[in-house]
Amino acid sequence: KQEVTQIPAALSVPEGENLVLNCSFTDSAIYNLQWFRQDPGKGLTSLLLIQSSQREQTSGRLNASLDKSSGRSTLYIAASQPGDSATYLCAVLDSNYQLIWGAGTKLIIKP
Amino acid sequence: ETGVTQSPTHLIKTRGQQVTLRCSSQSGHNTVSWYQQALGQGPQFIFQYYREEENGRGNFPPRFSGLQFPNYSSELNVNALELDDSALYLCASSLAQQETQYFGPGTRLLVL
């Protein structure tokens, strides 16, 4: 059974710092991995999607990597800003076409 | 091209009642998936519909049921509501089962 874990559960850093969020999964049989952002009380915003054949994706200050063999993904945020404060969720599309989610990392960027 | 829409946005029900949530998929998408997100947790997969047939179900009791219509829009029905059913319900559509899922804004359900 696929399980997704995100570490840390919460992170607080000063504005301007670069940071890394981690996501691990137990079964490497995935179609893709996706990172989402969720603001309090809101829905999901898709940030980056990495297909199983890819190693990384970039969008602006965000870079996501995927190492399928070790069951790990990282989301790198460069030059963090207070507007980056949110909960970040990762999800894998498993072999049954189901998105399996981590519990999220709550990120606070201090001005 | 319109995105995924959900209705209603918010809903308050009492224990024991029944509720129907609706989802309109993105144009051309034949697959709809439903997720439940309790406060402070990641979403949990409820079930998926592919071309009007249920295609995969998570660990949810039978009182959670659904439909997909010929235009690929979908409904989630929950009978005999319990307090723990209070959550954000998210719907996502995709071009095919293994393709990227695009999410609607969600329906926030409160059961009193």
Side-chain angles (χ1 to χ4, degrees), chain B residues 19-95:
Chain B
V19 69
T20 297
L21 309 182
R22 295 178 176 82
C23 172
S24 291
S25 57
Q26 197 162 316
S27 177
H29 288 192
N30 60 23
T31 304
V32 173
S33 303
W34 286 91
Y35 299 87
Q36 180 198 65
Q37 186 180 22
L39 201 61
Q41 298 180 24
Q44 299 290 318
F45 174 76
I46 303 175
F47 43 55
Q48 181 184 84
Y49 278 84
Y50 172 65
R51 295 190 174 185
E52 303 179 58
E53 297 287 330
E54 185 179 293
N55 178 59
R57 187 181 183 92
N59 190 26
F60 281 81
R63 61 189 184 84
F64 284 77
S65 63
L67 281 174
Q68 188 178 31
F69 300 99
N71 67 354
Y72 301 133
S73 66
S74 178
E75 286 182 355
L76 164 64
N77 299 291
V78 187
N79 293 322
L81 283 167
E82 300 178 0
L83 297 179
D84 285 349
D85 296 333
S86 296
L88 178 67
Y89 288 84
L90 296 159
C91 141
S93 75
S94 53
L95 272 172

Side-chain angles (χ1 to χ4, degrees), chain A residues 33-36 45-50 57-59 62-64 75:
Chain A
L33 182 145
Q34 204 162 354
W35 283 93
F36 293 84
T45 300
S46 178
L47 298 173
L48 290 165
L49 181 144
I50 311 177
Q57 283 287 335
T58 298
S59 175
L62 305 180
N63 175 278
L75 179 67

